Amino acid sequence: MLFTYDRYHHTAYSQVAAEVTGRIGTQYNNVEYYFHLKKTNDSLVKANEQLYNRLRENYEIPDTINRVAIDSLLYDSIKTARKYIYMQAKVTRNSVSQPNNYIIVHRGMLQGIHSDMGVIGINNAVIGTVMEVSDNYSVIMSLLHQQSNVSARLKKNGETGTIVWDGKDPHLLSLKDINKTAKISQGDTVITSTFSEKFPAGLLIGFVKDIVVDKSSSTYTVRVIPGANFETLQYAYIIDNLQKQEPQQLLKKVTTR
């Protein structure tokens, strides 16, 4: 009765009630937003998968004429021209502190995965190679593995080498076999080379930190900061090279003669 018939008390009560209701509503919205983050992340990952698969770099058609106008090619209508397919997968297990680290993703043979596929993170940076596959899961050899090696090059000058890991610092990779005549600067970008069967050329691997000089060698060892953050991996994209078998079979014919 006091709040209903007394204008002053009614106004005061309404202000307090509105503030309390507003605070409760804000907390509710925050909680609701938190639980919607997973759905939002899943949607973004699937959208990125579609965008990756539309990249022009995923298509490679044999050169059958003297001149090809690239911009006029109807890539989607030429099925034989497609070279790479990207498939998204959720990371279910990951390690960074072991001498040999592995990543497990929830996508396997039944979803089109097989061994020896390249794997990148959501920021387009290389994270490893598929090693073993079951029906619904795949084990990936991380770049942070002492047996891992990926053909790489310096984006600025085209010098090629091999990315390896020494099993120590998860924040540093090594780019081996770079000629000492190469001009290298801190911050230079390291990308995948054209020699890789698992990865399209030009994918991010990392950035130059410094150079290890060995006077007894004619090549540099370049220390590289990985482009991927291995400690926060949640999703990955697995890359299938649809044209991988043909050059392998051709080379096998030559070497078995």
Side-chain angles (χ1 to χ4, degrees), residues 5-116:
Y5 296 107
D6 188 291
R7 180 176 295 179
Y8 172 77
H9 288 92
H10 178 76
T11 302
Y13 168 77
S14 298
Q15 291 175 346
V16 172
E19 184 169 344
V20 171
T21 304
R23 289 183 180 180
I24 293 174
T26 299
Q27 293 300 322
Y28 174 80
N29 288 334
N30 288 339
V31 172
E32 188 179 29
Y33 174 75
Y34 174 80
F35 284 107
H36 276 77
L37 282 177
K38 181 181 183 301
K39 184 182 293 186
T40 301
N41 284 338
D42 290 345
S43 298
L44 289 173
V45 170
K46 290 178 181 178
N48 281 338
E49 179 187 54
Q50 294 175 359
L51 291 174
Y52 275 128
N53 284 316
R54 294 176 65 182
L55 291 174
R56 178 170 296 173
E57 290 82 358
N58 299 330
Y59 299 85
E60 190 170 278
I61 188 170
D63 187 3
T64 57
I65 54 178
N66 292 332
R67 183 176 180 181
V68 178
I70 297 297
D71 290 340
S72 67
L73 288 175
L74 299 176
Y75 293 103
D76 290 337
S77 66
I78 307 176
K79 294 181 180 180
T80 57
R82 174 171 280 279
K83 186 172 183 179
Y84 297 106
I85 290 180
Y86 291 74
M87 294 170 280
Q88 57 91 11
K90 183 174 179 58
V91 175
T92 60
R93 186 174 297 180
N94 180 34
S95 65
V96 297
S97 59
Q98 304 300 316
N100 295 311
N101 294 285
Y102 294 94
I103 303 163
I104 298 179
V105 297
H106 194 188
R107 187 162 188 155
M109 195 182 306
L110 296 179
Q111 294 83 41
I113 308 303
H114 55 80
S115 62
D116 215 29

Side-chain angles (χ1 to χ4, degrees), residues 41-225:
N41 284 338
D42 290 345
S43 298
L44 289 173
V45 170
K46 290 178 181 178
N48 281 338
E49 179 187 54
Q50 294 175 359
L51 291 174
Y52 275 128
N53 284 316
R54 294 176 65 182
L55 291 174
R56 178 170 296 173
E57 290 82 358
N58 299 330
Y59 299 85
E60 190 170 278
I61 188 170
D63 187 3
T64 57
I65 54 178
N66 292 332
R67 183 176 180 181
V68 178
I70 297 297
D71 290 340
S72 67
L73 288 175
L74 299 176
Y75 293 103
D76 290 337
S77 66
I78 307 176
K79 294 181 180 180
T80 57
R82 174 171 280 279
K83 186 172 183 179
Y84 297 106
I85 290 180
Y86 291 74
M87 294 170 280
Q88 57 91 11
K90 183 174 179 58
V91 175
T92 60
R93 186 174 297 180
N94 180 34
S95 65
V96 297
S97 59
Q98 304 300 316
N100 295 311
N101 294 285
Y102 294 94
I103 303 163
I104 298 179
V105 297
H106 194 188
R107 187 162 188 155
M109 195 182 306
L110 296 179
Q111 294 83 41
I113 308 303
H114 55 80
S115 62
D116 215 29
M117 285 180 165
V119 188
I120 63 174
I122 59 174
N123 66 338
N124 205 36
V126 174
I127 62 175
T129 304
V130 175
M131 297 300 295
E132 294 289 341
V133 181
S134 66
D135 284 348
N136 298 294
Y137 290 88
S138 299
V139 176
I140 297 164
M141 177 191 286
S142 170
L143 277 187
L144 306 180
H145 191 292
Q146 293 182 95
Q147 294 180 10
S148 171
N149 63 83
V150 175
S151 180
R153 71 178 178 90
L154 292 164
K155 184 177 181 179
K156 185 172 68 175
N157 56 29
E159 288 282 341
T160 59
T162 304
I163 284 286
V164 297
W165 189 56
D166 62 6
K168 297 176 182 178
D169 188 347
H171 303 103
L172 283 177
L173 303 169
S174 296
L175 177 59
K176 298 279 191 178
D177 303 325
I178 297 297
N179 197 294
K180 284 187 175 180
T181 59
K183 294 182 179 179
I184 307 171
S185 302
Q186 185 179 36
D188 284 353
T189 304
V190 181
I191 58 177
T192 52
S193 76
T194 56
F195 303 142
S196 175
E197 295 179 336
K198 306 178 186 73
F199 300 98
L203 294 178
L204 177 66
I205 294 177
F207 305 95
V208 171
K209 181 181 181 182
D210 52 30
I211 300 170
V212 179
V213 179
D214 182 359
K215 293 183 179 180
S216 64
S217 173
S218 62
T219 60
Y220 283 135
T221 293
V222 181
R223 297 203 299 174
V224 177
I225 300 171

